[in-house]
């Protein structure tokens, strides 16, 4: 079982004014739950764990847009650092797909996959899927069943966050950064109707903001 850093349900978080939060979001957030620095420290370790298991063969890192882009960029920087500072290294190539399943703060049954190279290019490769957050697990299960059709050598999934929720299908990624309470989280590229990607820390969205940015 993947180890992870657990954020407890009664985690009080940190006052917003102890960190730098954009002015335009100050009234929308309750607390900082995971400061940017902690995300980076945990990501560095995930890179080491991933290279230990996958570092023997060409890796294709597949970014699940849009929410995964920050984690993807930072994780790959750490993997690159390992690759360029050790005697053993493997080629690392990247691809990007878009998956959309959310409207407001609710997951929908309709998971759409858009973009990316021909999936057949993943045949025989070690594929690392990089995701921001797993909630029900439906998005990842849909993606995994699509990928299995193109015969990769290995598929691993890393998700920065996994939500503790009764809505979970039971699916767990191979690598997990943090396990988080059942709240709607934003920041570090996680959005609410496209807002809050421009926030460095992971924060809990307040109810007032859910109304304010509703579509
Ligand atoms: P799942 O299919 O229910 O596992 O949902 C996964 C997707 O829903 C993620 O890739 C996110 O895009 C989105 N999502 C789930 N929970 C949150 C959240 O708390 N904040 C922002 N996006 C979320
Ligand atoms: Mg996502």
């Amino acid at each position: 079982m993947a180890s992870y850093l657990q954020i407890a349900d009664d985690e009080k978080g940190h006052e917003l004014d102890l960190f730098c939060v954009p002015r335009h979001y100050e009234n929308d957030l309750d607390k900082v739950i995971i400061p940017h620095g902690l995300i980076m420290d945990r990501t560095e370790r995930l890179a080491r764990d991933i290279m230990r298991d996958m570092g023997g063969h060409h890796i294709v890192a597949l970014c699940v847009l849009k929410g995964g882009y920050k984690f993807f960029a930072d994780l790959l920087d750490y993997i690159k650092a390992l690759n360029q500072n050790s005697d053993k290294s493997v080629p690392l190539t990247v691809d990007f797909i878009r998956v959309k399943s959310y409207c407001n703060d609710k997951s929908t049954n309709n998971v759409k996959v858009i973009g990316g190279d021909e999936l057949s290019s993943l045949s025989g490769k070690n594929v690392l899927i990089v995701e921001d957050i797993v909630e029900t697990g439906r998005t990842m299960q849909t993606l995994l069943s699509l990928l299995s059709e193109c015969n990769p050598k290995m598929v691993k999934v890393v998700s920065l966050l996994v939500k503790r929720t009764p809505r979970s299908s039971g699916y767990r990624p191979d690598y997990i950064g943090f396990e988080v309470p059942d709240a709607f989280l934003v920041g570090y590229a996680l959005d609410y109707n496209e807002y809050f990607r421009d926030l460095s820390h992971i924060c809990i969205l307040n109810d007032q903001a859910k109304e304010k940015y509703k579509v």
Side-chain angles (χ1 to χ4, degrees), residues 43-55:
T43 301
E44 183 176 17
R45 178 55 198 249
L46 287 171
R48 190 167 114 186
D49 294 347
I50 289 165
M51 282 306 275
R52 179 198 58 209
D53 301 342
M54 302 185 77

Side-chain angles (χ1 to χ4, degrees), residues 64 101-102 107 111 131-140 163 183-186 190-191:
V64 184
S101 63
Y102 249 68
S107 177
V111 181
E131 173 66 302
D132 53 354
I133 182 165
V134 169
E135 185 178 3
T136 62
R138 258 195 311 258
T139 303
M140 202 41 70
K163 214 179 263 190
F184 199 80
L185 303 174
V186 292
L190 281 95
D191 73 308

Side-chain angles (χ1 to χ4, degrees), residues 3 8 11 31 62 94 124 132 142 205:
S3 48
E11 167 67 45
K31 289 282 168 63
L62 188 59
V94 299
D132 53 354
T142 304
L205 193 67

Side-chain angles (χ1 to χ4, degrees), residues 104-176:
N104 294 320
D105 62 347
K106 295 281 176 302
S107 177
T108 65
N109 276 315
N110 185 5
V111 181
K112 284 197 209 107
V113 179
I114 318 160
D117 294 340
E118 279 300 309
L119 288 179
S120 58
S121 66
L122 302 177
S123 167
K125 305 280 173 37
N126 279 357
V127 181
L128 176 68
I129 303 178
V130 184
E131 173 66 302
D132 53 354
I133 182 165
V134 169
E135 185 178 3
T136 62
R138 258 195 311 258
T139 303
M140 202 41 70
Q141 284 170 317
T142 304
L143 204 53
L144 283 170
S145 72
L146 266 175
L147 283 192
S148 68
E149 289 165 18
C150 31
N151 300 314
K153 181 178 162 72
M154 176 195 284
V155 181
K156 297 274 188 193
V157 177
V158 58
S159 184
L160 177 64
L161 310 173
V162 170
K163 214 179 263 190
R164 265 191 311 282
T165 168
R167 293 181 302 286
S168 166
S169 66
Y171 168 76
R172 301 287 282 189
D174 302 288
Y175 308 93
I176 301 169

